[in-house]
Amino acid sequence: IAWQLLGFVSRRTMVDVTKWPLFSLMEGEELSSIRQACVFGTSANEVIYITHNDDVYVFGLNCSNCLGTGDSQSTILPKKLDFLSGRKVVSLSYGSGPHILLATEEGELFAWGHNGYSQLGNGTTNQGVAPVLVSASLLNKRVTEVACGSHHSLALTNTGEVYAWGYNNCGQVGSGSTANQPTPRRVSNCLQNKVVVSITCGQTSSLAVVENGEVYGWGYNGNGQLGLGNNGNQLTPCRLVGLQGLCVLQVSVLSGYAHSLALTDEGLLYAWGTNTYGQLGTGNKSNQLSPVQIMAEKERIVEIAACHSTHTSAAKTQSGQVYMWGQCRGQSIVLPFLTHFSCTDDVFACFATPSVMWRLLSMEHDDFLTVSQSLKKEFDSPETADLKFSVDGKYIHVHKAVLKIRCEHFRSMFQSHWNEDMKEVIEIDQFTYPVYRSFLEFLYTDNIDLPPEDAIGLLDLATSYCENRLKRLCQHIIKRGITIENAFSLLAAAVRYDAEDLEEFCFKFCVNHLTEVTQTAAFWQIEGNLLKEFISRASRCGAFKN
């Protein structure tokens, strides 16, 4: 899959990187220097990690020169890849050879490792003993995401173009033939005029999500992993009609060895492909040629996890529950099993075979209390606070100096000529307790934790107080919590608070689910002008064409 720089999943939990055995070789000081890491290889015997200084290190078995150190020697001591130092990594992926693809913040693409099928894209079949810039066909292109199959490669550009190369025995390069592709070639056909937002690979298959939520697949389909309703290989991209009418979230289609998962904008989870180990989570071991919904009785799904090295699947719900299924330590778990984990990464550390990472993992360290951690600890602490807010009859204990440092609104408020500067208790009546408490907690932690309905109130506050970062966080929460029932209310709120990005997101959601949205109470309760504007804009987008 494409190992994207998605950041740390749960702000409440720290992943213990030593759950992957290779890291137990490292000293505490070395571990604390790691910002991102990936464990890969057919036996999880190789590691690449990036430090806080953007230095890149590798260690492990070095199969097929996949460490990129310039030689074929194994090493248990981390070696620095000087050529990549200082380049910020935005996407990383590996194939089974193994070979490595790495994209930088500047849009450059580097490759090294196994190259028997030209999967490094340099036009040869010589092993890549060190990282080399992939430039053929990609000059003046900015690569934002990479994905590796077993011996083929994909790259996504910032303009939504997909390039593919390498092994093509089943059409996984999407060129219309089964001839291997030695250099990057644009995947066109029915993707020619589409803007692709996400890519992923199975062992010998490829999938892409386009900006309107449609999913396209090509390559090997013997077990139905393309979800096309049949098991015939596909030499060019073909749309998954089984997901028609659903809007798949950006970066929410993932491939296992020969199965696939998709997460929709409503938090619904679909699975298809091979099911030998129960990796589809359907309760049996029958393959599925078309997408089927699973975990329908569970709460909203917010994250899914899979990678082409394993037959393991995982998902995380909105409340933070983590489920796993498929091949887990040799056992076949055919229904999603609730774990005690707090992140999907732990599933792959403890139960996947091999014990790889399903994405480029970002680390947090908890060896001591940093300034930010200390501030978080003292929020709403009566022992150290020098000011109280009274909201809905409840007190929130804060520190005047922190508020002045963190918020221009309070810096202005706590001046000698303002009455509030002399008060020990300040009454708040224009916002609810959950909203105002979340705002104050944000000033201490940089995070918010609210349901989307309350996030609308916080968006109102953020707009009033000119807190732009808080506005963006609110918009993110609202996007993750959008449903058919609340979509039009959220659209109205986005318009009211001048949140253009959120407005565009909600508008697209409403258009993608137009029939259902127009039958909700929220739609008919909206004032006339907004309703007229929506209908006019939707019409211009072709929403009412047959």
Side-chain angles (χ1 to χ4, degrees), residues 216-517:
Y216 291 79
W218 61 97
Y220 183 65
N221 194 34
N223 298 299
Q225 53 263 65
L226 298 184
L228 302 176
N230 58 56
N231 57 5
N233 294 349
Q234 188 69 33
L235 303 186
T236 57
C238 185
R239 185 180 173 190
L240 277 69
V241 294
L243 293 175
Q244 192 164 348
L246 301 170
C247 184
V248 175
L249 281 174
Q250 180 177 344
V251 200
S252 282
V253 170
L254 297 176
S255 295
Y257 186 93
H259 77 288
S260 304
L261 304 175
L263 182 62
T264 75
D265 58 358
E266 296 179 87
L268 307 178
L269 176 55
Y270 289 80
W272 63 93
T274 194
N275 201 23
T276 310
Y277 300 93
Q279 57 265 52
L280 300 186
T282 55
N284 57 52
K285 293 185 179 180
S286 300
N287 293 354
Q288 294 290 334
L289 303 183
S290 297
V292 293
Q293 188 180 355
I294 62 169
M295 296 183 71
E297 75 287 357
K298 308 295 184 189
E299 62 177 327
R300 187 187 190 104
I301 307 298
V302 297
E303 179 180 275
I304 53 177
C307 68
H308 79 263
S309 292
T310 73
H311 305 284
T312 307
S313 304
K316 185 177 181 178
T317 69
Q318 193 159 32
S319 67
Q321 292 182 318
V322 174
Y323 291 81
M324 68 180 186
W325 61 99
Q327 187 180 34
C328 299
R329 280 197 179 175
Q331 298 185 62
S332 295
I333 300 177
V334 298
L335 280 172
F337 177 83
L338 178 61
T339 72
H340 66 276
F341 299 132
S342 55
C343 58
T344 54
D345 305 284
D346 283 347
V347 170
F348 286 79
C350 301
F351 282 91
T353 306
S355 179
V356 293
M357 290 181 180
W358 75 269
R359 59 176 161 190
L360 180 64
L361 184 62
S362 293
M363 253 46 81
E364 286 186 352
H365 297 285
D366 204 18
D367 299 334
F368 62 93
L369 287 180
T370 63
V371 172
S372 62
Q373 290 167 334
S374 298
L375 280 177
K376 179 179 179 180
K377 183 170 176 284
E378 293 305 314
F379 171 66
D380 202 14
S381 170
E383 290 80 11
T384 59
D386 57 3
L387 177 68
K388 291 187 288 189
F389 283 96
S390 177
V391 191
D392 297 340
K394 302 175 185 176
Y395 287 130
I396 309 169
H397 301 81
V398 293
H399 307 77
K400 191 182 294 185
V402 172
L403 303 191
K404 289 170 70 175
I405 291 170
R406 291 281 288 151
C407 178
E408 187 63 36
H409 172 82
F410 289 122
R411 188 176 302 178
S412 300
M413 176 186 289
F414 299 129
Q415 296 182 18
S416 57
H417 58 277
W418 282 57
N419 291 333
E420 283 83 355
D421 189 49
M422 304 302 294
K423 292 182 178 180
E424 293 183 0
V425 179
I426 297 177
E427 299 278 345
I428 299 294
D429 55 15
Q430 64 267 49
F431 301 106
T432 65
Y433 174 81
V435 165
Y436 212 76
R437 179 183 172 83
S438 289
F439 166 57
L440 294 174
E441 188 172 10
F442 163 76
L443 297 181
Y444 280 74
T445 65
D446 278 329
N447 290 299
I448 52 176
D449 187 8
L450 277 177
E453 291 72 23
D454 284 334
I456 293 176
L458 190 56
L459 181 61
D460 183 15
L461 184 153
T463 304
S464 300
Y465 287 12
C466 300
E467 289 287 338
N468 290 328
R469 172 170 162 73
L470 182 57
K471 283 183 68 173
R472 290 194 296 270
L473 287 174
C474 290
Q475 292 179 52
H476 178 68
I477 285 178
I478 293 169
K479 286 179 181 180
R480 284 182 60 160
I482 195 169
T483 65
I484 296 294
E485 295 300 322
N486 67 17
F488 216 77
S489 297
L490 299 181
L491 174 61
V495 173
R496 187 161 63 248
Y497 301 129
D498 196 28
E500 294 181 3
D501 180 59
L502 176 62
E503 178 186 344
E504 182 67 19
F505 178 87
C506 293
F507 173 77
K508 286 183 177 179
F509 183 96
C510 289
V511 169
N512 287 333
H513 305 277
L514 189 60
T515 302
E516 296 91 338
V517 167

Side-chain angles (χ1 to χ4, degrees), residues 51-218:
T51 69
H52 294 284
N53 297 324
D54 290 311
D55 290 328
V56 179
Y57 288 85
V58 292
F59 65 94
L61 194 57
N62 203 17
C63 292
S64 301
N65 305 108
C66 66
L67 295 184
T69 54
D71 57 50
S72 57
Q73 299 301 308
S74 302
T75 175
I76 60 172
L77 296 175
K79 287 187 176 181
K80 185 176 177 181
L81 299 184
D82 291 311
F83 186 64
L84 295 176
S85 289
R87 303 178 191 268
K88 293 185 182 299
V89 178
V90 297
S91 185
L92 178 74
S93 185
Y94 68 86
S96 302
H99 73 287
I100 304 292
L101 296 182
L102 181 151
T104 71
E105 192 174 64
E106 299 299 315
E108 297 172 314
L109 173 61
F110 295 91
W112 65 94
H114 192 276
N115 196 33
Y117 301 93
S118 300
Q119 57 265 49
L120 300 187
N122 58 11
T124 77
T125 54
N126 301 325
Q127 300 278 47
V129 297
V132 174
L133 182 66
V134 181
S135 57
S137 308
L138 292 175
L139 286 175
N140 302 318
K141 303 289 183 181
R142 289 178 61 91
V143 174
T144 58
E145 184 181 342
V146 290
C148 294
S150 60
H151 299 94
H152 77 287
S153 305
L154 299 183
L156 176 64
T157 71
N158 64 331
T159 56
E161 297 175 340
V162 179
Y163 287 79
W165 61 97
Y167 199 31
N168 194 35
N169 64 324
C170 305
Q172 56 266 48
V173 168
S175 61
S177 75
T178 55
N180 293 346
Q181 179 64 35
T183 56
R185 174 191 179 278
R186 187 178 174 193
V187 182
S188 51
N189 300 92
C190 57
L191 292 182
Q192 180 69 42
N193 298 312
K194 304 281 187 180
V195 176
V196 175
V197 294
S198 180
I199 52 177
T200 187
C201 293
Q203 282 278 303
T204 49
S205 59
S206 306
L207 292 170
V209 184
V210 300
E211 63 177 350
N212 66 354
E214 297 173 350
V215 181
Y216 291 79
W218 61 97

